[in-house]
Amino acid sequence: MQTDPTPIALVATGDTAVDGEHEAIHTALMALCDGGPADAAALIRLERLVDGHFREEEARMGALAEDERVRHRHAHALFAARLRDCAETAAGCGTVEPGRIKDLALWFVIHSNTADHRLTEAIAAAETAAMAEDARLLLAQIRRAAGA
C-alpha cells in the first residue's frame, strides 16, 4: 500500500529535541502507512516512542496557559488511547486496518504543526523573558558594585 501522493508534511518547530522526536514518530507512522506490518509489535514500539515524546512535552508545558495545557494533555491522552486500541486490535487480530493508521498519522502531523508549535513558541518566549530578567538583575548588580 502506498501513502497518498501528497502527504501532509511536518513543519519544524525550531526546537531540535521536539523536531527530532516528531521526525522519528512521523517516520514510524509513514512506514506503517506504506505497508509496513501494522502488527502488535510495531504498534507497541510506536506507543513507547509516542509515550516518551508526550512525557517530554508535558514536562515543558509550564510555559502554556492552564487552559492550553489542559487541551494539549487531553489531545495526547486521546491519541495515546487510539494508538493503544490499535495495538490491542493487532494483538487480537494480527494486524490493523490501514485507514486507522493513516488517521493516526494525519492527527499527529496536524497536532505537531499546530499545538506543538504553540508549545515551543511559549517555551521560547518564557526562556527569552527569563534571560531578559537575568540580564536586568546582572546589570543592577554591576551598577550597585560600580556605585559602591
Side-chain angles (χ1 to χ4, degrees):
M1 177 183 320
Q2 295 294 320
T3 57
D4 297 335
T6 55
I8 297 175
L10 286 173
V11 177
T13 65
D15 183 304
T16 306
V18 171
D19 290 339
E21 292 170 2
H22 282 173
E23 189 57 41
I25 294 167
H26 186 256
T27 297
L29 283 164
M30 291 300 97
L32 292 172
C33 288
D34 281 340
D39 59 19
L43 290 164
I44 289 169
R45 283 190 303 275
L46 179 59
E47 268 188 300
R48 288 184 184 132
L49 191 60
V50 167
D51 181 57
H53 171 63
F54 286 173
R55 275 188 279 113
E56 289 289 325
E57 276 190 1
E58 290 175 11
R60 299 175 72 197
M61 284 187 185
L64 292 174
E66 179 63 23
D67 62 329
E68 181 77 11
R69 244 188 338 266
V70 169
R71 279 194 304 272
H72 202 135
R73 284 189 177 125
H74 182 68
H76 284 177
L78 290 175
F79 181 83
R82 289 175 64 202
L83 182 54
R84 166 93 319 246
D85 184 59
C86 286
E88 288 173 356
T89 298
C93 302
T95 190
V96 174
E97 207 176 292
R100 291 179 69 190
I101 303 301
K102 286 183 179 184
D103 288 346
L104 289 173
L106 180 60
W107 180 94
F108 182 75
V109 170
I110 292 169
H111 176 80
S112 297
N113 289 351
T114 57
D116 289 350
H117 273 261
R118 288 191 300 274
L119 172 61
T120 56
E121 288 167 3
I123 291 167
E127 289 171 351
T128 299
M131 286 188 302
E133 179 62 11
D134 289 347
R136 186 191 68 73
L137 292 172
L138 180 60
L139 185 56
Q141 284 180 330
I142 292 168
R143 286 182 178 149
R144 277 193 305 273

